[in-house]
Amino acid sequence: MSAQSGGLYHPDQFRDNCGFGLIAHMEGKASHNLLQTAIEALTCMTHRGAIAADGKTGDGCGLLFKMPESFFRSIAKEKFGRDLTSQFGVGMVFLSTDAARAAHGKQVLERELVEQGLEVVGWRLVPTDAGVLGRIALSSLPAIEQVFVNGDQMSSVELNRRLFFARRLAEAKLRDDKDFYVASLASTVVSYKGLMMPKDLPSFYLDLADERMETAICVFHQRFSTNTLPRWPLAQPFRFLAHNGEINTIMGNRNWSVARTPKFTSDLLPDFEEIKPLVNRNGSDSSSLDNMLELLVTGGMDIFRAVRMLVPPAWQNVETMDADLRGFYEYNSMHMEPWDGPAGLVMTDGRHA
């Protein structure tokens, strides 16, 4: 009996679509209202994701938004009695619920941050209400903490580069710790995500209901997983983007990333050997795409060129295309194979949406 005739399920023959979007203030004015509007929009997309048998566990949803600087400066003053420097970063970190393993994960990440010449101001247990979660989400709920990092006397680009290296080196050393995951670690954006239902996102993460939490850009996503099982780290958005659809060429893209690693060079990323593999081979297709976008942007490429290198239009047979634009796509096609098949992408680097 075939799947098409209503019989046995075959995963290769079924696709569905996530819900995603972004909201940005055109003049960059931060407000709590913009964040609330994004959460309301996300809640309207609940039907675009899956719901577990307990009725309260979602397939993954979340927000990625421009760093709410004044909020985190206030928190640092309250929590640590410290002023954050002109340039600072905040990391959202998932840790093991085992105290010893969590302490080890934090110690490794701290050590790598210090090795990058950064000051770790302190760790903050993120205020949450686990009572809104379903039984299945609770069974895999990580410990969730934020790390505050000072990077004075350096540009935002330089700080993000050092945060990137610290995270990737820590990930390499903690490869056997399946609970360690850095949802975001940057001076420009912060991520709040998990396996709750969209309407419960601000009830779980109490920060999101705090009126001091103001932002000017917010990307949001409600996941419907088609190639991986739901896990807290695989909830979207990732560190740059949220993706709806399927990357049909994902195996080839991952393999090409390995093959091309020796050819990557960047003055900003001097030693690729320490952070191999450049993209993950075990997570979702979306997370691998996010890895590659992050690598290109951190390596000095602007986000516009990076995205169009990764996801070009079907330019080859468009006879009316401007010659310079055609040359752009033809040139970039020699350096990166298309990550083909996405239905849609929304993203932010904290400056552009």
Side-chain angles (χ1 to χ4, degrees):
M1 184 181 293
S2 70
Q4 287 93 334
S5 62
L8 299 177
Y9 173 83
H10 196 287
D12 292 343
Q13 297 172 342
F14 284 82
R15 294 287 184 268
D16 217 309
N17 302 94
C18 311
F20 72 105
L22 67 83
I23 298 177
H25 192 281
M26 293 296 287
E27 296 174 2
K29 182 180 179 181
S31 70
H32 185 63
N33 181 62
L34 187 142
L35 185 64
Q36 287 181 310
T37 305
I39 294 171
E40 183 180 351
L42 178 63
T43 302
C44 292
M45 294 180 177
T46 301
H47 64 289
R48 303 311 298 265
I51 304 173
D54 61 17
K56 295 182 71 177
T57 298
D59 203 9
C61 71
L63 309 171
L64 176 71
F65 49 95
K66 181 181 174 66
M67 182 66 73
E69 287 195 23
S70 60
F71 174 79
F72 283 125
R73 289 189 185 280
S74 298
I75 292 297
K77 192 73 173 176
E78 295 168 8
K79 175 73 176 174
F80 312 115
R82 295 278 307 278
D83 288 321
L84 295 176
T85 53
S86 59
Q87 291 292 339
F88 71 90
V90 175
M92 180 72 87
V93 186
F94 293 170
L95 298 159
S96 172
T97 52
D98 177 82
R101 284 175 57 200
H104 177 64
K106 290 164 64 174
Q107 182 183 40
V108 170
L109 181 58
E110 262 192 63
R111 188 165 58 241
E112 295 301 336
L113 288 165
V114 172
E115 284 288 320
Q116 292 296 321
L118 304 173
E119 178 197 9
V120 177
V121 178
W123 289 82
R124 172 194 183 225
L125 185 66
V126 178
T128 58
D129 178 8
V132 303
L133 298 178
R135 175 180 53 82
I136 298 171
L138 275 171
S139 68
S140 59
L141 174 65
I144 305 173
E145 297 197 34
Q146 286 170 337
V147 60
F148 288 67
V149 182
N150 272 340
D152 205 13
Q153 306 302 316
M154 64 182 70
S155 67
S156 177
V157 171
E158 175 65 12
L159 174 55
N160 281 327
R161 185 190 70 81
R162 297 189 187 201
L163 292 172
F164 168 80
F165 258 110
R167 190 197 91 228
R168 291 297 298 262
L169 293 169
E171 288 171 343
K173 290 179 171 63
L174 294 166
R175 195 164 284 135
D176 293 333
D177 185 349
K178 303 304 180 185
D179 294 313
F180 179 84
Y181 175 76
V182 182
S184 62
L185 177 56
S187 69
T188 44
V189 293
V190 67
S191 169
Y192 283 76
K193 66 179 187 176
L195 294 184
M196 68 291 296
M197 301 301 295
K199 68 180 178 63
D200 295 322
L201 188 63
S203 301
F204 177 76
Y205 285 117
L206 303 185
D207 285 352
L208 298 177
D210 191 321
E211 292 191 358
R212 296 176 299 171
M213 178 75 89
E214 298 180 328
T215 190
I217 302 172
C218 187
V219 169
F220 49 90
H221 189 278
Q222 163 66 40
R223 185 168 183 257
F224 192 103
S225 63
T226 55
N227 55 18
T228 51
L229 292 173
R231 290 174 49 223
W232 281 78
L234 292 181
Q236 294 194 45
F238 291 108
R239 300 177 188 107
F240 270 84
L241 61 80
H243 166 233
N244 162 38
E246 296 283 340
I247 307 236
N248 301 320
T249 57
I250 188 61
M251 186 176 295
N253 295 133
R254 287 169 171 165
N255 290 339
W256 274 115
S257 74
V258 174
R260 291 192 184 278
T261 295
K263 295 184 177 296
F264 277 102
T265 59
S266 169
D267 293 337
L268 296 176
L269 303 175
D271 195 350
F272 282 103
E273 291 299 314
E274 295 185 27
I275 59 171
K276 293 193 307 186
L278 301 184
V279 304
N280 80 75
R281 301 177 67 84
N282 301 314
S284 64
D285 53 356
S286 309
S287 66
S288 295
L289 176 62
D290 186 80
N291 287 161
M292 184 55 77
L293 177 61
E294 178 187 44
L295 183 78
L296 294 175
V297 172
T298 307
M301 188 177 294
D302 74 65
I303 192 169
F304 304 101
R305 179 185 173 189
V307 170
R308 271 319 194 193
M309 175 183 280
L310 291 166
V311 191
W315 57 271
Q316 292 90 340
N317 297 315
V318 181
E319 296 177 1
T320 57
M321 180 175 286
D322 177 82
D324 287 341
L325 187 57
R326 177 181 295 278
F328 168 84
Y329 289 125
E330 189 170 1
Y331 174 79
N332 284 302
S333 71
M334 296 187 290
H335 301 285
M336 179 74 66
E337 293 70 27
W339 293 60
D340 207 7
L345 296 168
V346 286
M347 68 202 75
T348 184
D349 58 0
R351 167 62 181 87
H352 303 97

